[in-house]
Amino acid sequence: MMESRRRVLTVTALGLGLPLVLNMPARAEPIQVGGRMTCTTPEQHAIQVEGDPGHVLVVQKVSCIGSASGQSARFDGGQQTWVEADDLVKGSGIIHGYELAKYKDGSTGVTSYAGAQVTTMVNGKPEWTALGTWEQIRGTGSLANAELRGTWTAKPISEKEYVMDWEGTLTLSSER
């Protein structure tokens, strides 16, 4: 019994001590995060694909303000600038872009995102929805050693604005 307990303690100590010995960052448990961004598109350029009616390539710059609470409060008031490229046929297709976020604590994050947009006719007018995934590729300040990833959905709320709801996980590591 004493030998068994000693082995468990030794294995536990080795498991916990290995990151310290190898100078590896300690990882915290993932935290569920989420929020909403309200966005406008101040700049957009669309080019028709010749010979393919309804096919358009779009490059746009998007500005968003984030709202979040609870475990996600660190993201509340964040200001995002997105640069996005869309390949759409009759309003539906693929979306890919990058987002630079600046937060109240001075930290920043650069995120890559990808997804799909679907446009349907509602009361004779085209209406779109979009969904996809995102992952932070670089961060500074409190997000310098963070892993962030998740999913998003977007829909218009007016002619000039749309909302993007996001959720995912935040995992922080402490560098030694």
Side-chain angles (χ1 to χ4, degrees), residues 53-56 58 86-95 116-120 126-130:
H55 192 170
V56 65
V58 179
D86 305 342
D87 185 349
L88 306 173
V89 177
K90 297 182 181 174
S92 298
I94 60 171
I95 297 169
Q117 176 174 305
V118 175
T119 299
T120 56
E127 192 168 297
W128 63 268
T129 58

Side-chain angles (χ1 to χ4, degrees), residues 8-49:
V8 169
L9 288 173
T10 302
V11 169
T12 302
L14 285 174
L16 293 175
L18 193 56
L20 295 174
V21 171
L22 296 177
N23 199 23
M24 294 170 57
R27 290 250 178 250
E29 289 297 313
I31 300 167
Q32 294 298 312
V33 292
R36 171 170 275 197
M37 290 186 262
T38 303
C39 306
T40 59
T41 305
E43 187 176 349
Q44 184 178 73
H45 306 280
I47 299 174
Q48 289 292 136
V49 175

Side-chain angles (χ1 to χ4, degrees), residues 26 46 55 70 84 104 106 155:
H55 192 170
E84 180 177 294
K104 290 178 182 178
K155 65 181 181 180

Side-chain angles (χ1 to χ4, degrees), residues 12 26-27 33 37 71 76-77 80 86-88 93 107 112 120 125 135 146 148 157:
T12 302
R27 290 250 178 250
V33 292
M37 290 186 262
Q71 299 188 119
D76 191 51
Q80 289 99 19
D86 305 342
D87 185 349
L88 306 173
S107 62
S112 172
T120 56
K125 294 173 72 176
E135 181 173 7
L148 277 157
I157 56 173

Side-chain angles (χ1 to χ4, degrees), residues 111-157:
T111 299
S112 172
Y113 62 93
Q117 176 174 305
V118 175
T119 299
T120 56
M121 297 301 283
V122 177
N123 297 325
K125 294 173 72 176
E127 192 168 297
W128 63 268
T129 58
L131 57 90
T133 60
W134 57 270
E135 181 173 7
Q136 178 175 289
I137 56 176
R138 179 170 45 264
T140 67
S142 66
L143 297 175
N145 299 310
E147 289 181 13
L148 277 157
R149 63 177 48 91
T151 60
W152 56 269
T153 59
K155 65 181 181 180
I157 56 173

